[in-house]
Amino acid sequence: MTDSGAAASPSGSPARERELLLAAQNGDGDAFGRLVGPFQRELHAHCYRMLGSYADAEDALQETLLRAWRSLARFEGRSSLRSWLYRIATNACLRAIERAR
Protein backbone atom coordinates (compact mmCIF):
# COMPACT_ATOMS: atom_id res chain seq x y z
CA MET A 1 0.00 0.00 0.00
CA THR A 2 2.95 2.35 -0.03
CA ASP A 3 4.57 4.09 -2.96
CA SER A 4 7.93 2.73 -4.00
CA GLY A 5 10.60 4.98 -2.62
CA ALA A 6 8.23 6.30 0.03
CA ALA A 7 8.72 5.91 3.74
CA ALA A 8 8.07 2.50 5.21
CA SER A 9 4.56 1.57 6.23
CA PRO A 10 3.57 3.78 9.16
CA SER A 11 2.68 0.77 11.26
CA GLY A 12 5.76 -1.26 10.38
CA SER A 13 4.22 -3.82 8.03
CA PRO A 14 1.67 -3.84 5.23
CA ALA A 15 -0.40 -6.42 7.14
CA ARG A 16 -0.50 -4.19 10.22
CA GLU A 17 -1.41 -1.18 8.04
CA ARG A 18 -4.32 -3.13 6.52
CA GLU A 19 -5.45 -4.13 10.01
CA LEU A 20 -5.37 -0.51 11.19
CA LEU A 21 -7.13 0.61 8.02
CA LEU A 22 -9.96 -1.86 8.52
CA ALA A 23 -10.32 -0.87 12.18
CA ALA A 24 -10.35 2.83 11.26
CA GLN A 25 -12.89 2.22 8.50
CA ASN A 26 -15.08 0.61 11.17
CA GLY A 27 -14.92 3.74 13.33
CA ASP A 28 -11.84 3.17 15.50
CA GLY A 29 -10.42 6.66 16.03
CA ASP A 30 -7.27 5.36 17.73
CA ALA A 31 -6.49 3.16 14.73
CA PHE A 32 -7.01 6.18 12.45
CA GLY A 33 -4.58 8.19 14.58
CA ARG A 34 -1.94 5.46 14.40
CA LEU A 35 -2.51 5.16 10.65
CA VAL A 36 -2.18 8.83 9.74
CA GLY A 37 0.05 10.02 12.60
CA PRO A 38 3.33 9.22 10.84
CA PHE A 39 2.28 11.42 7.89
CA GLN A 40 1.17 14.51 9.81
CA ARG A 41 4.52 16.27 9.88
CA GLU A 42 5.17 15.88 6.16
CA LEU A 43 1.58 16.84 5.34
CA HIS A 44 1.96 19.98 7.44
CA ALA A 45 5.18 20.84 5.58
CA HIS A 46 3.40 20.26 2.25
CA CYS A 47 0.57 22.61 3.28
CA TYR A 48 3.06 25.19 4.53
CA ARG A 49 4.89 25.14 1.19
CA MET A 50 1.61 25.69 -0.63
CA LEU A 51 0.18 28.35 1.69
CA GLY A 52 3.23 30.14 3.10
CA SER A 53 1.69 30.47 6.55
CA TYR A 54 2.17 28.22 9.56
CA ALA A 55 -1.34 28.95 10.86
CA ASP A 56 -2.96 28.38 7.48
CA ALA A 57 -1.00 25.13 7.11
CA GLU A 58 -2.29 24.02 10.53
CA ASP A 59 -5.86 24.74 9.43
CA ALA A 60 -5.36 22.89 6.14
CA LEU A 61 -3.86 19.91 7.96
CA GLN A 62 -6.83 19.75 10.32
CA GLU A 63 -9.21 19.96 7.37
CA THR A 64 -7.23 17.20 5.66
CA LEU A 65 -7.47 14.87 8.64
CA LEU A 66 -11.17 15.58 9.11
CA ARG A 67 -11.92 14.94 5.44
CA ALA A 68 -9.80 11.78 5.49
CA TRP A 69 -11.65 10.49 8.55
CA ARG A 70 -15.04 11.24 7.01
CA SER A 71 -14.21 9.60 3.68
CA LEU A 72 -12.07 6.71 4.94
CA ALA A 73 -14.83 4.19 4.24
CA ARG A 74 -14.51 5.06 0.54
CA PHE A 75 -10.72 4.56 0.46
CA GLU A 76 -10.24 1.51 -1.74
CA GLY A 77 -6.49 1.15 -1.53
CA ARG A 78 -5.91 1.66 -5.26
CA SER A 79 -3.25 4.19 -4.27
CA SER A 80 -1.11 4.34 -1.18
CA LEU A 81 -2.58 5.90 1.93
CA ARG A 82 0.19 8.49 1.75
CA SER A 83 -0.68 9.63 -1.77
CA TRP A 84 -4.40 9.66 -0.89
CA LEU A 85 -3.68 11.94 2.10
CA TYR A 86 -1.50 14.19 -0.07
CA ARG A 87 -4.35 14.54 -2.57
CA ILE A 88 -6.74 15.56 0.20
CA ALA A 89 -4.17 18.00 1.63
CA THR A 90 -3.49 19.55 -1.76
CA ASN A 91 -7.20 20.06 -2.36
CA ALA A 92 -7.61 21.60 1.11
CA CYS A 93 -4.78 24.03 0.32
CA LEU A 94 -6.22 24.92 -3.07
CA ARG A 95 -9.59 25.63 -1.44
CA ALA A 96 -7.86 27.86 1.14
CA ILE A 97 -6.07 29.76 -1.62
CA GLU A 98 -9.34 30.21 -3.50
CA ARG A 99 -11.12 31.47 -0.37
CA ALA A 100 -8.32 33.99 0.23
CA ARG A 101 -8.89 35.64 -3.18
Side-chain angles (χ1 to χ4, degrees):
M1 263 198 198
T2 58
D3 292 327
S4 59
S9 173
S11 56
S13 74
R16 179 66 178 145
E17 183 175 316
R18 280 191 299 276
E19 181 180 311
L20 286 173
L21 179 60
L22 286 173
Q25 286 176 324
N26 287 316
D28 185 338
D30 290 334
F32 178 76
R34 288 192 303 275
L35 196 60
V36 301
F39 301 113
Q40 286 187 28
R41 189 175 186 146
E42 67 182 277
L43 288 169
H44 185 270
H46 173 67
C47 292
Y48 179 76
R49 285 189 301 273
M50 287 189 71
L51 299 171
S53 163
Y54 185 86
D56 290 345
E58 281 286 317
D59 291 345
L61 176 61
Q62 291 305 310
E63 183 179 340
T64 297
L65 296 176
L66 183 59
R67 287 179 181 274
W69 171 252
R70 288 180 176 165
S71 60
L72 191 60
R74 294 188 308 269
F75 177 69
E76 298 174 354
R78 291 184 293 174
S79 64
S80 70
L81 181 66
R82 180 179 182 270
S83 63
W84 183 68
L85 290 169
Y86 264 83
R87 167 72 68 123
I88 296 170
T90 298
N91 288 337
C93 292
L94 292 173
R95 278 189 298 276
I97 291 166
E98 186 64 30
R99 283 191 304 265
R101 289 184 180 167

